[in-house]
Amino acid sequence: MVKTGEPVRSARLPQQRQASSGADRLKGFVALLAIVAIVGGVPYVLLRFFGTPWPDQMPKWNVLFDELDIRAVLGIFAFFIWVAWAHFVVCLLVEAIAEIRGHGLSPRIPLGGGSQTLARRLISTVVLIAGAASVSLPVASAVTTSPGTVPTSVSVVQGGEHQSGSSFRQTEQRSSVLSGSVQQGKTATGVRTNNDQKGQVVKYTEVKPPQGRNYDCLWDIAERYLGEGRRYKEIYDLNKNKLQPDGRRLTNPDLIMPGWQVRLPADAKGAGVHTVRVNIEQPGKSHEIKPVTTQTPPKVQTPAKTATKPSAEVKPGHGTRWADQGIESGSSVTIGGVAGDPGAKDIKPGDPSTEIPAHDPKAGESQPGDPAAGGTRVPEVVPVAADQGFDLTQAGIYGFGGTLLAAGLALALKRRRGWAQGPGPKAAGHRQTEVGLRLASDIPTAQFVDAALRQLGADMAKTQRPMPKVVAALVTDSALTLVLDPYEAQSAPPGPWQAIAEGTRWTLRRAYAPTGEITAPAPYPTLVTIGQNADGATVLVDLDTANGIVSFGGVTEASRDVVGSLAVELATNLWSEGAHVSMVGFGDDLSSLAPARLSYWVRLDAALDEVTRRTDAQVQACERRKVASVAEARTAHPDAALWGAEIIFVSAPPSPEEQDQLNRLAADTRRGVAVVVVGDVINSPWRFVVDEKNQAVCRLLGLEVEAHTVTPEQVTELVALFDAADSDARDKRRTEQNMPAYEFSTQDLSLPAPVEVDLLGPVEVDARGPIDDGRIALSTEIVAFLASQDYGVHPNVLAGAIWPRGISDELRDSALEHTRRWVGNDAMYADESGRWMLNRSIVRVDWDVFRTLTKQATMIEDPRAPLSTALSLVHGPAWANIPAGRYSWLAASGIERRMVESVVDAALKLAEASLTHNDGQTARTALQTGLSFSPASEDLWRATLRLAAHFGTTQDVTNVATQLYTALAKHGGPRGPEPETDALVDELLPGYHRPAQVA
């Protein structure tokens, strides 16, 4: 069952080795009795035999000259005993307060000496009573495998140190990466530090688990790695208040826990020291990059995944490549920055407006990001400063770096709507959620990453080379960079990919991104976004490369939100084709977001049985095809349904037995399994720490990001939005619309208009006025919005649509004036009431022409001519290639749905009219045009099937059926084909084998 880890014991400094936990308890109780005896017994004896320390009555002045008797002598002794007792009680109180508050060393009491030392020892011995007791780790929720038990949320107060969310709100300075050699050519990256002011090597180690009755402590760590136990104070100062994976912080040098990751001074050395290189982010300052060399003993590698023994049993923490190898070595991965990334601009080679000099790289002359030999180098272009309305780094409602997550959700929402694509009437109550989703998404970047990875897989498969193991990926505006596994020798990448950072990274400049349809399989389905690093790059990690459990510890609620975002992205993104996500024990059921790719489980054993059953087919397929791993088979034998990855998300640390089972599944190369756990798992190869500010740190990998999250409130809103989209998709009734038919000054469409606006496909505006390049995207959106409005729009409404996050009147008016100068003062104007609109006699909008022609078709007997002309205006998928963070007003306008309805109806009417005249070619062209605009329209596909059966052969019908199911698998909803479609295929092609549905 899923439960918290084994009880852990606190370690104290300095600490004598005790015989057993029972002896510790006995000594603690003896010390407690001694304290009670001193604090209560001494005053009782003094009061019983000597009375109060003050006299019963005020003494007279001649008492100083009286003869001393035995009673007076005893009274003097009693007085000094009272003073000593009071001094000792003060020492006890000071030590007890210091112990409770966890502030380390207590303040020194005047004349304390031996009294304070004795008090400290007594208090420390009493703490052994608590130190010997078990301490529960924080959990996200308790999930049990016992029948009939419902998962419950558990809140644990740890050792009396439960703190509010406002505690420790200070944020450490962020670090950026210095690229350089740390050890044997391996690059290293930085983690957050408190005290570094320049680039330097930073070292970490993990607190060892107890061995018998011996517990690790700061004194032992200092003695082990620094050669002097008294230097423990330096280690404490470096780690004070640092958040640890189990959610605690180091606040007392006497109390540390097994599995904590503590930073060491720079001169630390020995087995178990992990080295990373850091650089504090200082705006406006740059640091020289220098290699760091250290003496390296021979490496001992025991990889967890091997082709020869894929089913070997792997114990947690043993035999994994990321575990401690018994030597001092540098960080094994380079993740944290983009210092080596190229600086290409988004300019396509061959652009006639750009002068491109010839470029012939020679040996030793290539720079990071240069194309392969024989290619062209894109020149630098100075961007034009322009008001973009909002900053994309602040736009993500799913946290930093959440643009790819939002893009996956936006595309999944579009697929859920199926044939309609746009929002329907039932989505009206969730418009604000969709507006935020569209603002946060960066669909072009997601498509770039997907296409680049698929093309890389195709190129490697073509040359029969294995795909490199990727630890992480960095996505910027200019390039995609893959961080490779440094433990494997890497060959040169295929062009136009370039090897940088001594071959440990492959990078592809965005200007050389693949174009066209790429049908190759996605090679890295477990690649998922963690967040954004200090350099502004979106950081992704490949969960499969961990070869074991990936744990997210620290602040439990923040970790849960981060893990939830990983699950949502893997269930909806483009490159996780065929992947299946299993969420165990989470309070929110997200399966409605992607029913074909995400499932919810209450019990871990039930989820493991299902995952094992599905991956058994992968093991058998690997044996039949004689391949060593699923990763190799994905590109060599493409089959998304067979080789799909299985990602298991668990809401709390599993039991040791379940950890063994999960690690065995994740380590088997013939099973595509990855595991993510909320909460700290000490033996996990990748342990992330998430703090209150949603900063995720993997210290021993040198990774630090501002993590993106999905909160429970956002989950509820997303589920409601997707449910409404599903309901709208089932309602296929067309609404009769009474749209105005426009009269144009230019009736001949072969002649150009002064300004042309194309909305029936990728949005384009052809205007001839002057405008800066940096303003084109914003002005195009303004013109497109006005073109979608038939009767003009108030400037405040326009501002709310184009700048939903708000904008001042001055900036709004300035943007409108720039747009007006671009299209012409007569083409765009504000009427007497202040409503902005386009002058339709000057501006030709293809959507207006389309509606005019379709209306004319209803008024004549033979509608083929106007319908053919109308469909000729369609030039691609609806609203394709929309820039990131723009056109959020589409969520409320409904124009997407109206366009699809009109185009589909026009295509069907033209095909039907053409068939009445036995014109099969026109009918075929009409249906293909409609499918290019709405590829998920099953009405058009069924008409295409009937057309192929009427004019073609059985092979023609088979080809159309194959294209149909391929298109629906890529663009259709998770429900799969409609029953009418399957029934028609069965009627026309008896025995046709339909391909498996892969979301």
Side-chain angles (χ1 to χ4, degrees):
M1 62 181 176
V2 181
K3 62 179 183 181
T4 59
E6 291 297 311
V8 295
R9 307 268 302 273
S10 61
R12 299 188 55 75
L13 174 71
Q15 174 182 305
Q16 299 294 330
R17 305 304 184 191
Q18 277 70 26
S20 65
S21 60
D24 291 344
R25 292 190 181 92
L26 179 60
K27 289 183 178 181
F29 282 116
V30 170
L32 183 60
L33 291 175
I35 292 175
V36 172
I38 293 174
V39 175
V42 171
Y44 174 78
V45 172
L46 291 175
L47 291 173
R48 177 71 175 79
F49 295 99
F50 300 99
T52 60
W54 53 84
D56 297 334
Q57 58 183 1
M58 183 65 67
K60 297 181 179 179
W61 65 272
N62 57 357
V63 71
L64 298 175
F65 302 98
D66 291 343
E67 183 178 354
L68 292 176
D69 54 8
I70 187 63
R71 185 178 181 83
V73 172
L74 292 177
I76 293 173
F77 278 114
F79 172 78
F80 283 106
I81 293 174
W82 276 109
V83 172
W85 173 85
H87 184 270
F88 185 76
V89 169
V90 171
C91 293
L92 279 175
L93 290 174
V94 169
E95 293 297 331
I97 292 173
E99 188 71 32
I100 294 173
R101 291 182 177 178
H103 287 332
L105 300 179
S106 57
R108 187 174 181 180
I109 303 300
L111 303 177
S115 297
Q116 190 168 3
T117 301
L118 177 60
R120 183 181 301 117
R121 289 181 178 177
L122 288 174
I123 295 295
S124 300
T125 307
V126 170
V127 174
L128 290 178
I129 301 175
S134 63
V135 180
S136 298
L137 295 176
V139 298
S141 64
V143 183
T144 177
T145 58
S146 58
T149 304
V150 180
T152 57
S153 177
V154 178
S155 177
V156 181
V157 179
Q158 308 175 43
E161 297 178 0
H162 184 75
Q163 298 173 11
S164 64
S166 60
S167 301
F168 303 108
R169 300 300 293 184
Q170 67 269 21
T171 304
E172 302 164 0
Q173 287 180 288
R174 296 190 301 177
S175 63
S176 57
V177 173
L178 287 179
S179 175
S181 177
V182 172
Q183 195 171 13
Q184 286 189 349
K186 299 293 189 295
T187 54
T189 61
V191 297
R192 295 178 298 168
T193 60
N194 283 327
N195 304 314
D196 290 327
Q197 300 301 323
K198 60 182 180 180
Q200 66 179 55
V201 171
V202 175
K203 299 181 177 180
Y204 282 92
T205 190
E206 287 192 355
V207 179
K208 293 183 177 181
Q211 298 179 355
R213 60 178 179 270
N214 298 328
Y215 303 95
D216 210 3
C217 60
L218 292 185
W219 182 285
D220 292 341
I221 293 174
E223 199 171 57
R224 187 161 59 242
Y225 299 125
L226 303 177
E228 176 56 64
R230 286 176 292 184
R231 294 183 64 185
Y232 77 90
K233 295 181 181 179
E234 300 178 33
I235 302 178
Y236 172 70
D237 291 338
L238 288 174
N239 296 275
K240 185 177 181 181
N241 287 342
K242 283 283 189 74
L243 183 66
Q244 295 296 331
D246 64 355
R248 301 185 178 196
R249 297 179 186 265
L250 179 59
T251 58
N252 188 335
D254 293 347
L255 295 173
I256 60 175
M257 296 294 172
W260 278 14
Q261 298 169 339
V262 295
R263 183 181 167 186
L264 301 174
D267 59 338
K269 59 183 178 180
V273 175
H274 301 260
T275 306
V276 294
R277 185 177 176 122
V278 301
N279 178 38
I280 289 298
E281 181 183 8
Q282 293 180 336
K285 295 184 179 181
S286 60
H287 299 282
E288 182 181 0
I289 299 174
K290 296 181 179 180
V292 180
T293 58
T294 58
Q295 186 176 359
T296 309
K299 289 193 174 183
V300 180
Q301 297 186 23
T302 55
K305 286 192 175 184
T306 60
T308 57
K309 296 183 179 181
S311 59
E313 182 173 333
V314 180
K315 298 293 182 183
H318 298 281
T320 59
R321 74 181 63 194
W322 309 111
D324 183 9
Q325 301 296 324
I327 61 172
E328 177 185 359
S329 62
S331 174
S332 54
V333 218
T334 300
I335 300 176
V338 290
D341 281 358
K345 307 300 177 184
D346 294 333
I347 302 175
K348 293 292 182 183
D351 188 346
S353 63
T354 306
E355 182 181 356
I356 303 176
H359 178 61
D360 184 17
K362 298 181 176 60
E365 296 182 1
S366 62
Q367 299 296 326
D370 283 350
T376 56
R377 186 174 185 176
V378 179
E380 295 286 340
V381 175
V382 180
V384 179
D387 172 35
Q388 300 298 326
F390 56 88
D391 184 358
L392 285 179
T393 62
Q394 304 294 332
I397 60 174
Y398 303 104
F400 291 91
T403 54
L404 297 182
L405 162 68
L409 282 169
L411 292 172
L413 180 63
K414 187 175 182 180
R415 292 186 57 188
R416 178 63 59 88
R417 286 172 173 152
W419 64 273
Q421 299 185 18
K426 296 181 181 178
H430 310 284
R431 286 177 179 172
Q432 194 57 41
T433 302
E434 187 171 352
V435 167
L437 181 63
R438 290 177 182 252
L439 280 175
S441 64
D442 188 353
I443 294 178
T445 298
Q447 293 171 335
F448 160 62
V449 173
D450 178 54
L453 294 178
R454 291 177 187 270
Q455 187 62 55
L456 176 62
D459 293 341
M460 298 293 283
K462 186 182 300 182
T463 57
Q464 296 183 349
R465 296 163 57 192
M467 292 295 295
K469 288 193 174 180
V470 170
V471 177
L474 304 173
V475 182
T476 65
D477 292 337
S478 60
L480 166 64
T481 302
L482 302 180
V483 182
L484 307 185
D485 184 349
Y487 284 93
E488 291 191 350
Q490 307 296 347
S491 58
W497 288 81
Q498 288 289 302
I500 61 175
E502 301 177 352
T504 60
R505 294 186 179 190
W506 288 3
T507 186
L508 176 67
R509 293 165 63 168
R510 195 157 182 171
Y512 299 96
T515 57
E517 187 76 12
I518 301 176
T519 58
Y524 303 113
T526 57
L527 196 66
V528 64
T529 308
I530 292 292
Q532 190 178 74
N533 67 6
D535 299 324
T538 299
V539 180
L540 300 88
V541 296
D542 193 349
L543 301 177
D544 187 56
T545 309
N547 298 337
I549 296 175
V550 179
S551 66
F552 283 81
V555 180
T556 302
E557 292 304 321
S559 300
R560 174 185 286 271
D561 294 344
V562 173
V563 169
S565 71
L566 303 185
V568 170
E569 180 175 334
L570 287 169
T572 57
N573 68 21
L574 293 173
W575 53 88
S576 294
E577 181 184 23
H580 189 271
V581 176
S582 300
M583 301 188 69
V584 184
F586 288 83
D588 301 311
D589 186 356
L590 307 180
S591 58
S592 60
L593 298 181
R597 286 170 56 171
L598 193 150
S599 58
Y600 177 81
W601 301 86
V602 175
R603 297 168 53 187
L604 179 58
D605 57 348
L608 288 177
D609 291 343
E610 181 64 19
V611 170
T612 303
R613 183 190 65 80
R614 283 199 293 261
T615 55
D616 283 343
Q618 295 178 347
V619 175
Q620 297 169 5
C622 286
E623 293 176 350
R624 290 195 305 269
R625 292 171 171 80
K626 293 181 173 53
V627 292
S629 66
V630 170
E632 178 183 347
R634 283 194 185 107
T635 54
H637 307 279
D639 189 337
L642 174 60
W643 307 119
E646 295 284 342
I647 307 101
I648 306 173
F649 289 86
V650 189
S651 65
S655 66
E657 295 78 11
E658 291 166 341
Q659 289 184 28
D660 289 342
Q661 185 177 1
L662 290 170
N663 276 288
R664 284 195 299 270
L665 288 174
D668 192 345
T669 59
R670 299 175 301 174
R671 300 178 189 268
V673 178
V675 183
V676 179
V677 172
V678 176
D680 184 38
V681 178
I682 293 180
N683 293 318
S684 171
W686 288 2
R687 299 170 66 195
F688 286 85
V689 182
V690 184
D691 64 11
E692 304 90 338
K693 298 290 187 179
N694 290 332
Q695 290 183 331
V697 178
C698 189
R699 293 189 176 101
L700 302 187
L701 291 184
L703 184 150
E704 174 197 8
V705 296
E706 300 280 355
H708 67 76
T709 61
V710 174
T711 63
E713 295 77 12
Q714 290 171 337
V715 167
T716 302
E717 295 169 356
L718 287 172
V719 169
L721 177 62
F722 273 68
D723 289 343
D726 189 65
S727 179
D728 278 328
R730 294 178 185 276
D731 185 5
K732 299 187 62 176
R733 292 174 298 177
R734 308 282 203 270
T735 57
E736 293 294 334
Q737 302 166 8
N738 185 18
M739 290 295 177
Y742 296 97
E743 295 294 337
F744 298 95
S745 58
T746 304
Q747 295 293 337
D748 188 356
L749 296 180
S750 63
L751 299 177
V755 179
E756 296 186 3
V757 181
D758 296 337
L759 301 181
L760 294 172
V763 179
E764 297 176 2
V765 176
D766 183 9
R768 295 167 177 77
I771 190 173
D772 294 332
D773 291 341
R775 304 184 191 275
I776 291 179
L778 175 61
S779 295
T780 299
E781 182 180 6
I782 293 174
V783 173
F785 178 72
L786 292 176
S788 68
Q789 306 296 316
D790 294 325
Y791 305 104
V793 63
H794 191 275
N796 291 340
V797 176
L798 186 146
I802 306 298
W803 299 277
R805 301 185 184 278
I807 191 174
S808 65
D809 294 343
E810 293 79 5
L811 290 176
R812 178 201 65 194
D813 295 340
S814 175
L816 290 175
E817 285 301 321
H818 285 298
T819 305
R820 187 182 184 188
R821 283 199 299 269
W822 179 39
V823 299
N825 293 333
D826 296 334
M828 174 180 166
Y829 64 94
D831 62 9
E832 298 176 353
S833 62
R835 300 171 66 89
W836 282 86
M837 61 183 62
L838 297 178
N839 185 350
R840 262 31 187 229
S841 62
I842 297 176
V843 179
R844 178 193 293 165
V845 181
D846 60 352
W847 174 231
D848 295 342
V849 178
F850 183 93
R851 289 182 293 174
T852 301
L853 292 172
T854 54
K855 195 172 187 68
Q856 291 175 1
T858 61
M859 303 176 182
I860 59 179
E861 183 176 352
D862 186 0
R864 287 183 297 168
L867 288 178
S868 296
T869 306
L871 287 175
S872 68
L873 299 173
V874 176
H875 57 282
W879 301 93
N881 300 328
I882 291 178
R886 296 200 176 277
Y887 295 85
S888 62
W889 47 269
L890 289 173
S893 69
I895 190 174
E896 290 174 296
R897 190 181 185 94
R898 294 196 300 271
M899 281 185 173
V900 172
E901 290 176 347
S902 299
V903 171
V904 169
D905 285 340
L908 291 173
K909 290 177 180 178
L910 178 57
E912 183 179 356
S914 300
L915 288 178
T916 59
H917 293 79
N918 202 31
D919 186 359
Q921 182 60 37
T922 302
R924 186 179 299 108
T925 302
L927 296 176
Q928 290 176 349
T929 302
L931 288 172
S932 70
F933 194 77
S934 177
S937 174
E938 295 189 48
D939 288 338
L940 294 177
W941 278 115
R942 288 195 291 269
T944 306
L945 277 172
R946 296 188 181 96
L947 186 66
H950 181 70
F951 287 99
T953 64
T954 303
Q955 184 60 41
D956 295 330
V957 180
T958 303
N959 293 336
V960 172
T962 302
Q963 296 171 7
L964 180 156
Y965 286 111
T966 301
L968 293 184
K970 183 175 183 180
H971 304 286
R975 299 173 304 278
E978 297 172 356
E980 297 92 329
T981 303
D982 287 335
L984 181 60
V985 172
D986 292 337
E987 178 185 351
L988 299 178
L989 296 172
Y992 177 80
H993 178 68
R994 290 186 290 273
Q997 174 76 8
V998 178

